[in-house]
Amino acid sequence: MPRASQRPRLVDVAEHAAVSLATASRALAGREGVSAEVADRIRQIASDLGYVANPYARTLASGATSTVGLIVHQVDDPYFSEIAAGVIQLAADQGLLVQICQSGRDPGYELQQLRHLIAQRVGIVLISGSGFDDPRMESAARAELAAFQDHGGRAAAIGRHTLGIDAVLPDNEAGGHALAHHLMDLGHRRIAVAAGSVGLTTVADRLAGVSSALRQRGRSPADLAVVHTDFTRDGGQAAAEQILNEHPETTAIIALNDVMAMGVLSTLRSRRVPVPARMSVVGFDDVSVAADLAPSLTTIRLPMTEMGRTALTLALK
């Protein structure tokens, strides 16, 4: 053990972990090339030794860069590209650069991207996209962000409940509630949901809104045909196929985001199901490309660009 008067060094961590300096450095910086088990062991040893020359301390020592790190679920999803546009607009006004990473809705990879951004000495971290309904899946990211902020970093989120940082939270439950009421007002009684991945809080919240609307109208949510697939255009196509095959009596489909709605419409076209004469389709988000769909898509409007600007504003404050 290093002497009590001595600040632990990276070499001390490496020696106690029986690894090379390079391996210890990569593990503590969250870089690739070290197995998860070894990296966890090295980080635990560093913590036990009181080692502080980690990415956060390096940020303080050398000064955080004028870079904003933005993590989104999927860069080619218009929802996230419009949020990114808002972040980039405000960042440009503030003389900041934006580095964008994609998590693929994988909490492990999201954590890796977060650690990578911090190791790159970004001054601000923004995380956009649904969280996970199991808090354990975000506990490591929450701890990383807490340490980042404790050492002077700034952070904010969009659509996340449990990261322990300032967040912009769209009212997903109210949106789902409004969509279900809209379809029932049109006379639909056989409604299906293209719901996106199980375990995402956004999916759970929007579904909760749909269910509450059904209960208000004296109907049971158990009568709702809910199909979980990927929260993507391909997922929407797959969900529509399953709905048509397993629930042929369906007259309306709620897609829980617009890219899924686009996939639903694609499948309905290929199956020659007329919209809206035979099947009504509604979406959620109101991404800009939705205005060009034919037939037009009824959708819940979220101000994505403004959400991006607001998240960066929260971090800057």
Side-chain angles (χ1 to χ4, degrees):
M1 291 289 287
R3 294 191 306 272
S5 60
Q6 223 177 16
R7 175 174 293 180
R9 302 165 300 165
L10 180 61
V11 66
D12 298 317
V13 176
E15 287 177 357
H16 279 76
V19 298
S20 68
L21 275 171
T23 297
S25 177
R26 284 197 299 270
L28 295 174
R31 299 192 187 100
E32 296 179 355
V34 185
S35 71
E37 181 180 359
V38 171
D40 287 343
R41 182 167 60 85
I42 292 170
R43 283 193 288 270
Q44 184 59 55
I45 289 171
S47 177
D48 293 344
L49 292 175
Y51 176 71
V52 295
N54 50 39
Y56 317 114
R58 286 202 302 272
T59 294
L60 284 178
S62 53
T65 65
S66 57
T67 303
V68 178
L70 172 62
I71 303 175
V72 300
H73 281 332
Q74 193 171 338
V75 294
D76 61 351
D77 185 326
Y79 174 85
F80 295 110
S81 62
E82 292 182 34
I83 285 173
V87 173
I88 291 168
Q89 289 168 11
L90 182 57
D93 293 342
Q94 300 293 321
L96 302 170
L97 298 175
V98 180
Q99 179 178 345
I100 302 176
C101 300
Q102 174 175 295
S103 70
R105 298 185 177 87
D106 179 337
Y109 190 60
E110 179 180 86
L111 178 62
Q112 181 179 328
Q113 294 296 308
L114 172 60
R115 288 171 173 162
H116 175 74
L117 287 171
I118 294 171
Q120 295 299 312
R121 299 191 298 110
V122 300
I124 295 173
V125 171
L126 303 178
I127 300 182
S128 177
S130 176
F132 304 91
D133 56 17
D134 182 350
R136 293 172 298 180
M137 298 180 74
E138 296 185 311
S139 60
R142 183 185 176 100
E144 293 284 344
L145 287 165
F148 178 60
Q149 292 188 122
D150 286 346
H151 290 83
R154 303 182 181 192
I158 300 170
R160 303 295 280 265
H161 299 277
T162 61
L163 286 178
I165 57 179
D166 288 337
V168 179
L169 298 175
D171 196 343
N172 288 312
E173 186 167 345
H177 191 271
L179 285 175
H181 273 301
H182 171 72
L183 291 175
M184 288 186 287
D185 288 343
L186 293 176
H188 291 286
R189 297 190 60 80
R190 300 294 185 179
I191 300 172
V193 182
S197 308
V198 173
L200 296 177
T201 55
T202 295
V203 171
D205 291 346
R206 293 179 181 183
L207 264 178
V210 173
S211 297
S212 68
L214 264 63
R215 285 191 292 268
Q216 278 190 0
R217 304 287 279 264
R219 299 179 54 188
S220 171
D223 296 334
L224 199 65
V226 179
V227 175
H228 289 282
T229 57
D230 289 340
F231 216 19
T232 62
R233 185 180 186 278
D234 289 347
Q237 289 180 310
E241 289 283 359
Q242 187 172 337
I243 289 167
L244 292 174
N245 292 337
E246 298 179 7
H247 308 281
E249 72 283 359
T250 298
T251 62
I253 297 175
I254 299 174
L256 292 188
N257 69 12
D258 284 350
V259 292
M260 289 196 80
M262 294 173 196
V264 168
L265 290 169
S266 174
T267 292
L268 295 177
R269 282 194 301 271
S270 68
R271 296 279 291 264
R272 300 185 183 279
V273 177
V275 177
R278 162 67 180 83
M279 185 79 73
S280 290
V281 179
V282 295
F284 203 119
D285 295 334
D286 195 21
V287 297
S288 57
V289 295
D292 299 322
L293 295 174
S296 60
L297 179 67
T298 297
T299 182
I300 294 295
R301 176 174 173 75
L302 293 182
M304 282 83 70
T305 301
E306 186 58 32
M307 287 159 56
R309 293 179 63 90
T310 301
L312 180 53
T313 298
L314 287 173
L316 289 170
K317 287 181 177 179

